[in-house]
Amino acid sequence: MLMKNILVTGGCGFIGSNFIRFLLEESNYQGKVINLDALTYAANPESLADIAERYPQRYTFVRADICDKEALQEVFEEHPIDAICHFAAESHVDRSISGPGAFIQTNLIGTFNLLEMARHYQERIALFHHVSTDEVFGSLGAEGFFTESTPYKPNSPYSASKAGSDHLVRAYHKTYGLPVTISNCSNNYGPCQFPEKLIPLIILNAREGKSLPVYGDGSNVRDWLYVTDHCRAIWLIMTEGKHGETYNVGGDNEMANLQVVESICDIVDRLAGPLPEGPRRQLITFVKDRPGHDWRYAIDFSKIRSSLNWEPTETFDTGLEKTVRWYLDNTTWVERVRSGEYRAWIEKQYGE
Ligand code: NAD
Ligand code: DAU
């Protein structure tokens, strides 16, 4: 079955907006994209303003909540959706610790609603691709990697809700024969990421000469992947992946948080010029650790490498420099997010 009308959920968020841009500008996809997003605090339709203008025939935005079954029904009735790429989620671990409820609603109930919709319209659904995270596997010690067969052991309300959603997606394949694929990816970075996550937060605080909060002693390790490499992996899985399978996606780029923050300081010093007080590394402040903070993530992505011929193309050096430049250059996007003006625009355009 050919995909001609792909529903992308969460397309106004960080990875979703990069994925829609990739699909329309860089991939071989010729069909339409329906971007369904509830426009939570993490969404910014301004990330796709140029796309909406340049692709009026191929790009449609619908404001809807995946927790709202009736709204979903309307979208599926109005648009001949034949594939789904599901990004919509509450995605920030710290927020899941202070308020887990929204994570249960969106990540579990919302995914369930979407699966039910796909089941209802199954005869026209070529694929349900579920975008998930390496955090479902829990935490590693100094050795080893997560593989597709590593047992799930999530430690935060966020990762537990994503783990539950992965299980639901898999169950809909086994039980109802829904054509599904799942990807579990490591930490993404790049343009349009909401500045509550480590890399954009540190870039913007460094630019402004503010304190740079590092949790615990900064030794926690993450594997970083440039967002466009993730988007390319998702599209490959959607077009060439095997139904019912999961694919780990990673950057082969493990880094301790302190090292990431120091690298950002050095790049911002070089690109924006030094602060009168001296090098930005001086702004690093060790703060109280995140409760249940996973120590290390590392991904074995040999499956997608050997079966789909995928590899990351961006190195951390080139990707981080590109990312810092994007945040320094895109002052309008940054200022509107920092000041909250992007919310005022959304309210004016779509209501509360
Ligand atoms: P994000 O927080 O930047 O964006 C999430 C988007 O989903 C927002 O636009 C938001 O408005 C939308 N959304 C939230 N609740 C919704 C609801 N109830 N109905 C409709 N839309 C809703 O997230 P992200 O970082 O772009 O992550 C996207 C997906 O990728 C998530 O499923 C996340 O678990 C997964 N993932 C993220 C990373 C990462 O490093 N950011 C890594 C691996 C996997
Ligand atoms: O591994 C994939 C996951 O990566 C995704 O599933 C999540 O959606 C995404 O948010 C990300 O989760 P992390 O918790 O790893 O990302 P975050 O940017 O919040 O934090 C990265 C690391 O930096 C983590 O070890 C916590 C630390 N940290 C974070 C912040 C915000 C700090 O030291 N200081 C900070 O201010």
Side-chain angles (χ1 to χ4, degrees):
M1 247 198 283
L2 263 184
M3 295 182 268
K4 290 188 189 144
N5 292 280
I6 302 180
L7 177 74
V8 176
T9 69
C12 293
F14 165 47
I15 310 177
S17 62
N18 277 285
F19 180 71
I20 291 174
R21 183 173 296 283
F22 168 82
L23 214 48
L24 293 173
E25 291 192 328
E26 287 182 48
S27 80
N28 57 355
Y29 179 60
Q30 300 291 320
K32 295 183 180 175
V33 172
I34 299 106
N35 173 7
L36 182 155
D37 198 300
L39 300 182
T40 71
Y41 79 94
N44 191 349
E46 292 172 26
S47 303
L48 288 173
D50 63 315
I51 291 285
E53 242 179 70
R54 285 190 290 119
Y55 297 92
Q57 309 297 329
R58 295 182 61 201
Y59 174 78
T60 308
F61 173 69
V62 183
R63 185 183 195 176
D65 189 329
I66 56 170
C67 299
D68 180 344
K69 286 188 205 164
E70 280 164 22
L72 281 185
Q73 180 88 44
E74 275 173 32
V75 174
F76 274 77
E77 272 166 20
E78 193 179 334
H79 301 275
I81 290 158
D82 49 29
I84 297 153
C85 185
H86 179 36
F87 291 94
E90 287 294 337
S91 69
H92 192 37
V93 174
D94 292 333
R95 285 182 190 252
S96 85
I97 294 167
S98 54
F103 289 71
I104 303 305
Q105 286 306 318
T106 288
N107 300 1
L108 278 171
I109 310 289
T111 301
F112 163 68
N113 289 341
L114 206 57
L115 284 165
E116 278 290 271
M117 210 47 64
R119 181 161 82 96
H120 186 76
Y121 289 99
Q122 195 160 336
E123 76 290 345
R124 71 181 203 212
I125 300 296
L127 184 71
F128 185 115
H129 179 75
H130 179 59
V131 181
S132 192
T133 170
D134 59 356
E135 298 200 8
V136 297
F137 300 119
S139 182
L140 291 166
E143 301 290 318
F145 296 89
F146 299 133
T147 72
E148 286 80 0
S149 53
T150 300
Y152 275 32
K153 209 176 171 189
N155 291 318
S156 71
Y158 163 69
S159 52
S161 66
K162 290 297 290 187
S165 67
D166 292 11
H167 291 321
L168 279 172
V169 174
R170 186 175 170 279
Y172 270 63
H173 175 70
K174 286 278 175 190
T175 307
Y176 305 114
L178 191 70
V180 311
T181 45
I182 299 177
S183 47
N184 293 92
C185 186
S186 59
N187 285 59
N188 284 214
Y189 68 102
C192 300
Q193 185 169 31
F194 194 76
E196 63 184 350
K197 306 281 167 62
L198 180 72
I199 288 187
L201 175 85
I202 297 297
I203 295 172
L204 296 183
N205 279 13
R207 184 196 65 165
E208 292 157 18
K210 291 185 181 161
S211 132
L212 308 177
V214 171
Y215 298 166
D217 61 3
S219 67
N220 301 65
V221 173
R222 296 291 181 268
D223 170 40
W224 294 97
L225 179 68
Y226 192 70
V227 64
T228 315
D229 277 329
H230 185 195
C231 295
R232 206 163 36 79
I234 291 172
W235 184 233
L236 254 186
I237 296 167
M238 287 182 74
T239 47
E240 295 176 31
K242 203 169 154 212
H243 293 172
E245 298 273 315
T246 73
Y247 295 85
N248 278 0
V249 183
D252 204 5
N253 183 52
E254 283 182 56
M255 200 81 74
N257 292 338
L258 183 58
Q259 208 184 337
V260 171
V261 173
E262 287 176 345
S263 303
I264 295 172
C265 288
D266 297 346
I267 300 175
V268 177
D269 279 343
R270 178 161 51 80
L271 297 180
L275 292 167
E277 309 87 277
R280 284 175 171 81
R281 284 183 183 217
Q282 289 173 193
L283 301 168
I284 292 173
T285 311
F286 294 95
V287 299
K288 192 168 172 287
D289 209 354
R290 172 186 280 174
H293 196 176
D294 287 336
W295 189 65
R296 173 173 167 258
Y297 304 144
I299 286 260
D300 175 346
F301 60 88
S302 49
K303 178 175 172 178
I304 187 171
R305 176 188 266 149
S306 60
S307 61
L308 303 182
N309 206 17
W310 175 90
E311 274 201 341
T313 56
E314 204 73 58
T315 66
F316 194 60
D317 281 349
T318 58
L320 193 60
E321 170 123 4
K322 263 191 193 175
T323 305
V324 173
R325 281 187 191 278
W326 190 88
Y327 280 93
L328 296 182
D329 291 347
N330 286 271
T331 45
T332 309
W333 189 97
V334 166
E335 294 319 327
R336 286 172 67 79
V337 167
R338 292 288 252 193
S339 67
E341 271 179 77
Y342 78 114
R343 292 312 305 175
W345 183 84
I346 287 172
E347 278 160 29
K348 200 165 143 225
Q349 200 81 1
Y350 303 101
E352 288 273 356

